[in-house]
Amino acid sequence: MQTELTARWIGRRLGLRVPLTVWRHMGLREEDVFLASYPKSGNTWLAFLVATALTGEEIDFDRIGDIIPGVIDHKGRGFISASGGRIIRTHEMWRPRYRKGIYIVRDGRDVAVSYYHHQTAGGLFCGEFSEFLRWFAAGGVDGYGSWARNVESWMYKIESRPESFIVLRYENMLADPAGELERVLDFLGGAMDRERIEYAVWANEKSRMRGKEGNSHFLKSRIKRKGASFVRSASAGQWAKYFDEDDQELFEKKLGRVNSLLGYE
């Protein structure tokens, strides 16, 4: 019953989504660069890494939006680069207003697991993982489209305009955060010394991110389930602990083609 009521509540919210999304995208600049991904794919972590590298300062959850805001609240905010553009986070499918960007991909099975924990922590879902996976595969979790549609919208545009977009793998970020951050900074046009990059990686290690979470007034208001955490395992391959045979069959049928296109077996 709680799951059904939550779905109805989200449905009412989505009824206002089209005009709200149009309004949120007003005031964007041609020079803005978008840090994009489907939710729970590493967007927040990359935003912290980039913001720390650009400012040379350790950033917390209550300040990150002033430096790298979301498209939901970008007006009057954001670190302005030498080119006059800002870096803005988005989970939306590709839109014509997104002229330049960095898109993060992650194994869709791990995305589903991470999103399941995120939604239960926020009190937006109450049920078993298998039930959530069906909702996730159908694109009913949020207004960003299904994971597959979101990924395909960006990958199609990236293939046609490789000079304007790059793709990052979450798993590569885990394996070599300094190297991937350097790649992002090069794309943004800002040469950065290795010491600054390594400081950014150190300042945003999992343990330090969890410490920032504990001190965040913003996140305290969003975590509803006792003992839950926004910063979780920061690992790859967790899906194997959650997927049973039926889950694997459902995922392969609904989302396997896109996961394979991204190179995940």
Side-chain angles (χ1 to χ4, degrees):
M1 176 60 73
Q2 185 174 348
T3 300
E4 181 180 349
L5 291 174
T6 300
R8 290 177 182 174
W9 174 73
I10 291 176
R12 288 196 295 270
R13 289 182 63 196
L14 294 184
L16 298 173
R17 195 169 197 289
V18 171
L20 277 174
T21 302
V22 171
W23 180 80
R24 288 167 179 168
H25 285 77
M26 294 176 65
L28 295 174
R29 310 173 186 183
E30 290 190 9
E31 300 84 4
D32 289 338
V33 179
F34 295 88
L35 198 169
S37 73
Y38 190 78
K40 310 312 297 178
S41 301
N43 196 304
T44 298
W45 184 33
L46 182 57
F48 269 84
L49 290 168
V50 173
T52 304
L54 291 176
T55 64
E57 303 172 4
E58 189 162 3
I59 308 298
D60 59 32
F61 279 96
D62 298 334
R63 188 184 169 206
I64 185 65
D66 293 326
I67 301 167
I68 301 182
V71 73
I72 191 173
D73 58 357
H74 69 91
K75 296 176 177 63
R77 307 174 81 191
F79 181 94
I80 301 176
S81 68
S83 65
R86 301 164 296 166
I87 304 168
I88 298 176
R89 297 173 62 201
T90 183
H91 293 309
E92 301 285 348
M93 291 191 288
W94 182 85
R95 302 170 69 89
R97 301 297 298 274
Y98 299 156
R99 298 180 176 88
K100 185 175 182 179
I102 300 149
Y103 190 69
I104 311 168
V105 299
R106 184 183 187 183
D107 188 321
R109 295 164 294 189
D110 280 334
V111 174
V113 169
S114 184
Y115 215 172
Y116 167 69
H117 286 286
H118 178 81
Q119 293 293 86
T120 55
L124 296 175
F125 183 84
C126 181
E128 298 298 322
F129 173 73
S130 293
E131 182 184 359
F132 177 83
L133 182 62
R134 291 194 296 272
W135 200 24
F136 175 86
V141 180
D142 51 43
Y144 301 122
S146 70
W147 171 80
R149 286 188 62 206
N150 192 291
V151 169
E152 287 186 303
S153 74
W154 279 93
M155 296 304 290
Y156 174 79
K157 184 52 58 175
I158 290 167
E159 288 177 2
S160 64
R161 290 172 54 189
E163 74 284 354
S164 300
F165 299 95
I166 61 171
V167 177
L168 260 66
R169 286 182 178 272
Y170 178 73
E171 295 80 8
N172 290 349
M173 290 170 58
L174 291 174
D176 183 15
E180 292 301 286
L181 175 57
E182 185 173 22
R183 182 172 166 234
V184 169
L185 295 171
D186 287 344
F187 175 76
L188 295 173
M192 196 75 62
D193 63 72
R194 191 70 181 184
E195 184 176 347
R196 177 76 72 90
I197 291 173
E198 290 176 353
Y199 170 72
V201 171
W202 170 83
N204 297 291
E205 291 176 342
K206 180 171 66 175
S207 61
R208 297 187 68 81
M209 291 290 286
R210 284 181 171 168
K212 296 174 188 181
E213 176 182 348
N215 295 322
S216 171
H217 296 291
F218 170 71
L219 287 183
K220 285 178 182 177
S221 68
R222 302 189 68 176
I223 303 298
K224 306 298 183 184
R225 183 167 60 84
K226 186 176 181 180
S229 175
F230 180 84
V231 180
R232 290 187 59 255
S233 65
S235 62
Q238 272 217 324
W239 67 269
K241 300 177 182 179
Y242 289 84
F243 278 59
D244 60 25
E245 290 185 7
D246 289 340
D247 295 334
Q248 292 185 51
E249 183 178 347
L250 172 67
F251 185 92
E252 184 61 30
K253 179 180 179 180
K254 300 289 186 179
L255 307 173
R257 179 184 61 83
V258 174
N259 217 37
S260 295
L261 286 174
L262 293 176
Y264 297 106
E265 298 298 331

